[in-house]
Amino acid sequence: MSQQSTAPVTPAGPRAPEAVHRRRWAVLGVLMLSLLIVVLDNSILNVAVKTIAAPAPTGIGATQSELEWSINSYTLVFAGLLFTSGLLGDRLGRKKVLLFGITVFGIGSALAALSGSPGELIAYRAVMGLGAAFVMPATLAVLMNVFERDEQPKAIGIWAGSVGLAVAVGPITGGILLEHFWWGSIFLVNVPVVVLALVLMLWLVPDSRDPRPGRVDIPGVLLSVVGLVLLVYGIIRGGELASFTDVTVVAPVLGGLAVLVAFVLHERRSDHPALDMSYFRKPAFSAAVAAIALVFFALMGVTFFSAFYLQSVRGYTALESGLLILPLAVAQMVFAPRARLVVERFGARAVCTGGMLLVAVGLTAFAFFEADTPVWVLEVVFFLQGAGMAHIMPPVTVAIMQALPREKAGSGSAVNNTFRQVGGALGVAVLGSVLSSTYRGEIEGHLGGVPAALRDTAGESVEATLAVAAKLGPAGEGLVGPAYTAFLDAMHVTAIASAVIGLIGAVVVAAFLPGRDRGAAGAGAGAGAGAGAAPATDEARPSPQTG
């Protein structure tokens, strides 16, 4: 190899192999495609739940609980294996893990499309979650290994913008497919995209791994999987029951927390830890992780009830609802790739605090939405939320990923995605239970005329009340108005709770993320410890020293 190995502060040439460096933007495109189908699938499913609940042949007659578990089975497997998949990527090679994950996701999608019962759909959604758990961390880990430190913020901004694209494309695609094809088409559409992604990955994406992985921390890996699965299951169960005091909720949550505490203690004592806990001593790293969890806690809960608001209360179709959410996605796509420029000028602390406050303002606005709120107001609020997200995700992701050495990129991505997923699951469960309990409390006084056998079902949700009202015919017409009123009251309470979480996130980032001067200094100092390490690719080459 004739590559220069001198030690200037800024190396003359790229530290990635030249062939990899030249095609880095094409590689980013492939990574975005992989991320797109994983995120898009969940947003498609959100608009299809009503169709899947319909009797055959329109749907498969899934109950409310079965619909929830078609979403939750994916979340449970996905969240439980994110950390493990990131570690495996660092050890076995991120390209191999990415190829495995996208293949499993494609197989799960095909099987889910052909499900003949709710039970089959739940099982195949779990298979899709398994595949997605190996895709998500690998995309960010590969990105960190094909881009040098100075270009990483720009690349991460574009990567984060692709999430916004998925948010927009998912509901719109789902609406179009449901209008022209059977419900299974929302999963089958993934298959050709998976095949294209596989071909492009084999052609363009380089492999990389940790060159000195050490021994596998088997106890640590097992503790992380068991702890996360128990915790997420308890959270999901709490949302399902709209209660966090039931023994079937408390036992797994406490058990999961106990196992995760054991995981932390084990990692601190291990001479070959799966996760170096010393990174959490850095205030910027911990604040960035907390910010990811808090913002997704707040936003996922709102996403959950906004679909019911738009379709059940406002009467929009699935396709129209998808189009109405478009401003949120457009704002993310426009601002996320440019967030680094704002960070360079004002610092990560100011930018992320401003983004959190903008999200909190958007969440507060939901507390004032009524059945006749002008559509343009909704659009402005969705746009503000997307703009806020676009100024949170890229800076905090950069803070997390650049705090770790490059060869540990899979672990860093796994931490980022695990906290985001657990935060989102908590948001849906906790805020969903707030919504459910408030709604039931509001509607119960209007269910006196409903047959006793249907009364409990009618109080579950606005959809359930409207379905019972339709069954009762003219006798149920008096339930429609109270159902809308009860839902709006419940949505207002939940929106305020979400906004409070957003404000807590703003306080955390304002207190602990670095300002402009510290960030600039940290970037220079961190280059040697973080991305300054040579990319862990299979090609041997010198490791230039920096800073």
Side-chain angles (χ1 to χ4, degrees), residues 230-293:
L230 283 173
L231 177 62
V232 175
Y233 173 79
I235 292 167
I236 289 170
R237 182 67 178 155
E240 187 182 15
L241 297 177
S243 168
F244 283 84
T245 57
D246 190 276
V247 67
T248 61
V249 176
V250 174
V253 167
L254 292 181
L257 290 173
V259 173
L260 289 175
V261 168
F263 167 74
V264 171
L265 293 174
H266 170 78
E267 295 302 287
R268 290 177 65 181
R269 294 172 183 167
S270 175
D271 58 359
H272 56 288
L275 176 64
D276 189 344
M277 303 307 296
S278 67
Y279 291 116
F280 286 94
R281 296 193 196 117
K282 302 177 182 179
F285 180 84
S286 295
V289 167
I292 282 280

Side-chain angles (χ1 to χ4, degrees), residues 140-439:
L140 193 51
V142 170
L143 181 156
M144 297 299 290
N145 277 270
V146 298
F147 285 91
E148 303 306 331
R149 188 179 183 87
D150 58 340
E151 283 189 322
Q152 285 169 0
K154 180 179 180 181
I156 287 173
I158 296 171
W159 177 88
S162 68
V163 175
L165 179 63
V167 170
V169 172
I172 295 169
T173 305
I176 292 171
L177 289 170
L178 291 172
E179 283 189 4
H180 295 91
F181 303 100
W182 98 112
W183 67 268
S185 62
I186 65 167
F187 298 116
L188 199 61
V189 72
N190 293 336
V191 176
V193 183
V194 164
V195 172
L196 175 62
L198 281 170
V199 172
L200 292 174
M201 279 178 205
L202 289 167
W203 176 33
L204 290 170
V205 176
D207 204 359
S208 60
R209 61 167 64 88
D210 185 346
R212 294 176 296 277
R215 288 181 293 154
V216 178
D217 179 18
I218 293 176
V221 169
L222 292 177
L223 286 170
S224 73
V225 172
V226 172
L228 285 169
V229 168
L230 283 173
L231 177 62
V232 175
Y233 173 79
I235 292 167
I236 289 170
R237 182 67 178 155
E240 187 182 15
L241 297 177
S243 168
F244 283 84
T245 57
D246 190 276
V247 67
T248 61
V249 176
V250 174
V253 167
L254 292 181
L257 290 173
V259 173
L260 289 175
V261 168
F263 167 74
V264 171
L265 293 174
H266 170 78
E267 295 302 287
R268 290 177 65 181
R269 294 172 183 167
S270 175
D271 58 359
H272 56 288
L275 176 64
D276 189 344
M277 303 307 296
S278 67
Y279 291 116
F280 286 94
R281 296 193 196 117
K282 302 177 182 179
F285 180 84
S286 295
V289 167
I292 282 280
L294 288 168
V295 76
F296 274 88
F297 181 105
L299 276 172
M300 288 302 289
V302 171
T303 302
F304 179 73
F305 67 65
S306 63
F308 290 104
Y309 170 69
L310 292 173
Q311 293 186 47
S312 300
V313 176
R314 300 298 295 256
Y316 294 114
T317 65
L319 178 56
E320 289 168 341
S321 298
L323 291 170
L324 285 171
I325 299 174
L326 202 56
L328 186 146
V330 169
Q332 286 194 56
M333 287 186 288
V334 169
F335 293 117
R338 295 168 174 79
R340 77 190 191 286
L341 303 175
V342 189
V343 171
E344 287 170 8
R345 179 166 181 145
F346 299 105
R349 179 194 298 161
V351 172
C352 289
T353 302
M356 278 287 195
L357 290 174
L358 205 54
V359 167
V361 168
L363 296 172
T364 304
F366 273 91
F368 300 94
F369 284 179
E370 301 293 346
D372 57 353
T373 299
V375 171
W376 69 265
V377 176
L378 307 185
E379 301 301 87
V380 169
V381 169
F382 282 133
F383 187 83
L384 289 176
Q385 284 186 317
M389 283 288 292
H391 289 91
I392 298 167
M393 279 185 62
V396 297
T397 303
V398 169
I400 292 168
M401 296 305 296
Q402 290 194 342
L404 275 68
R406 206 175 201 175
E407 62 269 17
K408 303 294 184 185
S411 302
S413 180
V415 168
N416 177 55
N417 287 297
T418 298
F419 275 83
R420 184 177 74 178
Q421 194 65 26
V422 172
L426 262 173
V428 171
V430 174
L431 297 176
S433 68
V434 170
L435 184 76
S436 297
S437 59
T438 308
Y439 177 81

Side-chain angles (χ1 to χ4, degrees), residues 78-98:
F78 183 52
L81 292 178
L82 274 171
F83 181 70
T84 300
S85 68
L87 292 177
L88 290 175
D90 286 343
R91 291 174 177 280
L92 303 178
R94 289 130 194 167
K95 180 176 182 177
K96 296 182 183 70
V97 164
L98 191 55

